[in-house]
């Protein structure tokens, strides 16, 4: 047994190509976090430069999210038809063009259109990169590479908030800086092959085996792994329920309801109003710009730390349990936060308490439900409908994000800042009720086991209890 374990460690060790795969995963996540987070501090400068109000600020912030919906749906189909690698090369080019165009925009209209283009790349990357990485990575490293993507999102948000808080970097430079990692990702893609699984599905067996050999240790057992890929591709082609049409099947519907519901509630939790608009909300309520931007950095760091903790404990605690434990805590934090503003206790003397409550909310949300939005898309759907299901779930997440971003500042102006926080507290409680009734425990379950429960009609919290 010890000889077998030593052999496994020897043949599964990291190769140069796998390290490049990890970098592609990390850079794509970093770009997602940075490009969506940089607008938080930049809006303070953009509003002054273009002399615009909250209406235009909402459009500028939301345009990248509209593009992300389009990118997620378009690139999902493109990756299936033209390949994962080719799609990511296109995404890399769009990232560079979008970032540079946004940084050079002469007016809010051009800026909004440029961020729409940039959003296409964000949505395409978040849809395609995890699939590509999962199909290239050795089994022993697949989970860690997914972790890289998730953590890199938090790192991107932290960098964005630090850049914004510096107050010395012009917003054009801050937005344009995203072109650098995008160009790096584009360059790295030339060192990697197309997905062996996609090549095999398209009938290119020799090229698929060659691609697999490029990302494996020379002494790895290619025959065994290639045989498994062949079996999976054959099973997918023979499946009666497959692709986008397969999502309409009654037995798949419970997964779609849970997946899309979870994606929607990750946004209705209120995290995006904190990530995008914290400086704007705080300055509108009498905080200085410097204080507001420093708070934004603290929240970005909290997001990253909470994600790291959540990812460390998620398999021990369980996806369902962790989500249900943190949602009520996030709701309480929003209720307290809203009370400060409704009762007029939002002056300078209350700044430490307001900041502490914001950090508590961010910790419970980022370390709980925010982990589930992307994670479940890769595991909850049957194999033959997984790509389509993940695309719909991603579009649900981005679409909800668009609605929130387009309406948040107007809602605060109409009903009040504190009342808006209370409204999102209610959304958290509704999410708790929905997930308590609908979301089964997925931790510790194989993908095949989850699919069997769907097929048997036992995809419920009662049937999939954690053992």
């Amino acid at each position: 047994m010890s000889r077998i374990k030593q052999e496994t460690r020897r043949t599964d060790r990291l190769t140069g190509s796998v390290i490049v795969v990890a970098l592609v995963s990390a850079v794509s996540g970093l770009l997602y976090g940075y490009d969506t987070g940089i607008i938080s501090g930049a809006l303070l400068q953009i509003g002054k430069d273009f002399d615009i109000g909250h209406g235009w600020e909402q459009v500028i912030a939301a345009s990248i999210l509209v593009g992300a919906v389009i990118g997620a749906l378009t690139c999902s189909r493109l990756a299936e038809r033209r390949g994962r690698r080719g799609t990511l090369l296109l995404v890399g080019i769009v990232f560079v063009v979008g970032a540079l165009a946004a940084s050079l925009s002469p007016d809010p209209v051009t800026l909004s259109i440029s961020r729409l283009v940039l959003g296409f790349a964000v949505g395409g990357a978040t849809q395609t990169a995890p699939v590509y990485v999962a199909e290239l990575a050795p089994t022993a490293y697949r989970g860690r590479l997914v972790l890289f993507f998730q953590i890199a999102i938090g790192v991107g948000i932290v960098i964005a908030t630090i850049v914004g808080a510096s107050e010395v970097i012009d917003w054009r430079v801050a937005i344009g800086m995203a072109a650098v990692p995008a160009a790096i990702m584009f360059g790295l893609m030339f060192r990697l092959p197309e997905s062996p699984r996609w090549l095999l599905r398209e009938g290119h067996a020799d090229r698929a085996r060659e691609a697999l050999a490029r990302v494996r240790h020379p002494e790895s057992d290619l025959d065994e792994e290639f045989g498994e890929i062949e079996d999976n591709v054959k099973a997918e082609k023979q499946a009666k329920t497959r692709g986008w049409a397969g999502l309409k099947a009654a037995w798949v519907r419970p997964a779609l309801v849970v997946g899309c519901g979870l994606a929607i509630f990750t946004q209705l939790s209120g995290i995006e109003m904190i990530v995008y608009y914290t400086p704007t909300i705080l300055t509108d309520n009498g905080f200085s710009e410097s204080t507001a931007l420093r708070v934004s950095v603290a929240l970005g760091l909290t997001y990253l730390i909470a994600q790291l903790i959540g990812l460390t404990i998620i398999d021990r605690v369980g996806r369902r349990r962790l989500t249900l434990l943190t949602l009520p805590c996030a709701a309480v934090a929003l209720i307290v936060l809203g009370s400060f503003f409704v009762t007029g206790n939002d002056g300078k003397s209350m700044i430490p308490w307001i900041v502490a409550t914001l950090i508590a909310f961010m910790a419970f949300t980022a370390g709980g439900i925010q982990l589930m939005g992307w994670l479940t898309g890769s595991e909850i759907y049957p194999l033959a409908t997984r790509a389509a299901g993940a695309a719909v779930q991603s579009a649900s997440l981005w679409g909800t994000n668009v609605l929130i971003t387009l309406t948040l500042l107007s809602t605060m102006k109409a009903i009040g800042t504190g009342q808006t926080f209370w409204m999102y507290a209610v959304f958290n409680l509704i999410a708790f009720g929905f997930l308590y009734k609908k979301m089964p425990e997925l931790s510790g379950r194989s993908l095949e086991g989850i699919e069997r429960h769907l097929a048997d009609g036992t995809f419920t919290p009662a049937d999939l209890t954690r053992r």
Side-chain angles (χ1 to χ4, degrees):
M1 180 64 71
S2 59
R3 184 186 65 79
I4 294 174
K5 288 182 178 179
Q6 289 174 359
E7 183 72 14
T8 300
R9 284 196 298 268
R10 183 161 57 86
T11 58
D12 278 353
R13 66 175 180 259
L14 284 171
T15 64
S17 294
V18 172
I19 292 173
V20 175
V21 171
L23 288 173
V24 168
S25 175
V27 173
S28 61
L30 178 78
L31 285 167
Y32 164 31
Y34 185 85
D35 284 324
T36 55
I38 193 63
I39 200 65
S40 176
L43 276 179
L44 297 179
Q45 296 183 37
I46 292 170
K48 294 176 181 177
D49 281 4
F50 291 153
D51 191 25
I52 54 176
H54 285 339
W56 262 115
E57 289 177 356
Q58 290 176 150
V59 171
I60 291 169
S63 57
I64 195 172
L65 308 175
V66 175
V69 175
I70 299 170
L73 294 174
T74 303
C75 290
S76 171
R77 293 180 180 272
L78 194 62
E80 291 296 302
R81 294 179 182 178
R82 301 296 182 184
R84 283 71 157 123
R85 180 176 179 271
T87 301
L88 284 174
L89 285 170
L90 173 64
V91 163
I93 294 172
V94 176
F95 258 129
V96 174
V97 171
L100 293 178
S103 68
L104 298 172
S105 297
D107 53 59
V109 175
T110 309
L111 178 57
S112 298
I113 294 172
S114 299
R115 279 178 57 80
L116 183 75
V117 172
L118 190 57
F120 180 93
V122 170
T126 56
Q127 180 61 37
T128 311
V131 174
Y132 178 69
V133 169
E135 292 179 351
L136 281 182
T139 301
Y141 296 104
R142 188 172 298 137
R144 274 170 276 186
L145 294 186
V146 173
L147 176 67
F148 277 8
F149 177 79
Q150 189 83 35
I151 296 305
I153 294 173
V155 173
I157 291 174
V158 170
I159 294 174
T161 57
I162 291 173
V163 169
S166 69
E167 298 186 85
V168 296
I169 300 178
D170 185 78
W171 68 267
R172 296 182 183 277
V173 176
I175 290 177
M177 283 167 54
V180 176
I184 292 173
M185 186 181 85
F186 179 79
L188 289 173
M189 289 302 303
F190 283 104
R191 295 193 56 186
L192 295 175
E194 181 55 84
S195 160
R197 181 181 177 280
W198 183 84
L199 288 170
L200 192 58
R201 198 188 68 182
E202 296 299 306
H204 306 299
D206 292 340
R207 289 176 59 194
R209 188 177 180 88
E210 180 184 343
L212 185 64
R214 284 181 59 185
V215 292
R216 293 295 180 268
H217 190 275
E219 297 180 25
S220 296
D221 188 351
L222 285 183
D223 291 333
E224 181 180 356
E225 184 172 3
F226 194 72
E228 291 177 355
I229 295 174
E230 284 183 312
D231 291 342
N232 287 338
V233 170
K234 184 178 179 181
E236 183 178 348
K237 287 184 175 181
Q238 292 177 345
K240 294 180 180 179
T241 305
R242 50 185 303 215
W244 290 80
L247 295 177
K248 300 176 183 178
W251 70 279
V252 179
R253 196 172 302 133
L256 194 64
V257 169
V258 171
C260 291
L262 188 55
I264 290 169
F265 281 118
T266 60
Q267 305 309 295
L268 290 179
S269 67
I271 193 166
E272 301 306 344
M273 75 171 167
I274 302 300
V275 171
Y276 298 154
Y277 290 133
T278 290
T280 302
I281 293 170
L282 295 181
T283 53
D284 282 354
N285 285 275
F287 286 59
S288 68
E289 286 191 8
S290 297
T291 299
L293 291 169
R294 285 196 294 269
V295 171
S296 188
V297 173
L299 292 174
L301 289 169
T302 303
Y303 180 98
L304 177 59
I305 294 169
Q307 289 254 301
L308 286 169
I309 294 172
L311 288 165
T312 301
I313 66 174
I314 190 171
D315 286 324
R316 291 198 296 270
V317 176
R319 288 151 174 71
R320 170 183 163 87
R321 187 180 301 173
L322 183 61
T323 306
L324 295 181
L325 284 173
T326 52
L327 276 172
C329 298
V332 170
L334 287 175
I335 291 170
V336 173
L337 189 60
S339 298
F340 289 142
F341 290 93
V342 170
T343 60
N345 290 303
D346 55 350
K348 291 185 178 180
S349 63
M350 295 299 293
I351 288 178
W353 295 101
I354 292 173
V355 172
T357 310
L358 279 168
I359 289 174
F361 165 76
M362 180 63 82
F364 287 123
T365 304
I369 194 171
Q370 291 303 311
L371 292 171
M372 312 304 165
W374 298 113
L375 179 62
T376 55
S378 64
E379 63 186 11
I380 200 172
Y381 301 102
L383 173 65
T385 63
R386 191 163 296 147
V392 172
Q393 183 166 330
S394 179
S396 299
L397 186 149
W398 289 118
T400 308
N401 201 337
V402 170
L403 292 175
I404 292 170
T405 309
L406 277 174
T407 59
L408 181 68
L409 296 179
S410 298
T411 301
M412 285 187 167
K413 185 176 181 180
I415 68 174
T417 301
Q419 290 85 345
T420 303
F421 286 134
W422 284 351
M423 181 178 72
Y424 280 92
V426 172
F427 289 152
N428 277 269
L429 296 176
I430 294 173
F432 177 89
F434 171 82
L435 296 172
Y436 180 81
K437 290 184 176 181
K438 297 291 186 180
M439 182 183 177
E441 182 55 75
L442 302 176
S443 296
R445 302 285 176 178
S446 68
L447 299 181
E448 293 75 19
I450 293 171
E451 185 166 342
R452 280 195 300 273
H453 277 282
L454 281 167
D456 295 341
T458 57
F459 187 78
T460 67
D463 291 310
L464 275 86
T465 53
R466 181 171 170 80
R467 290 196 275 270

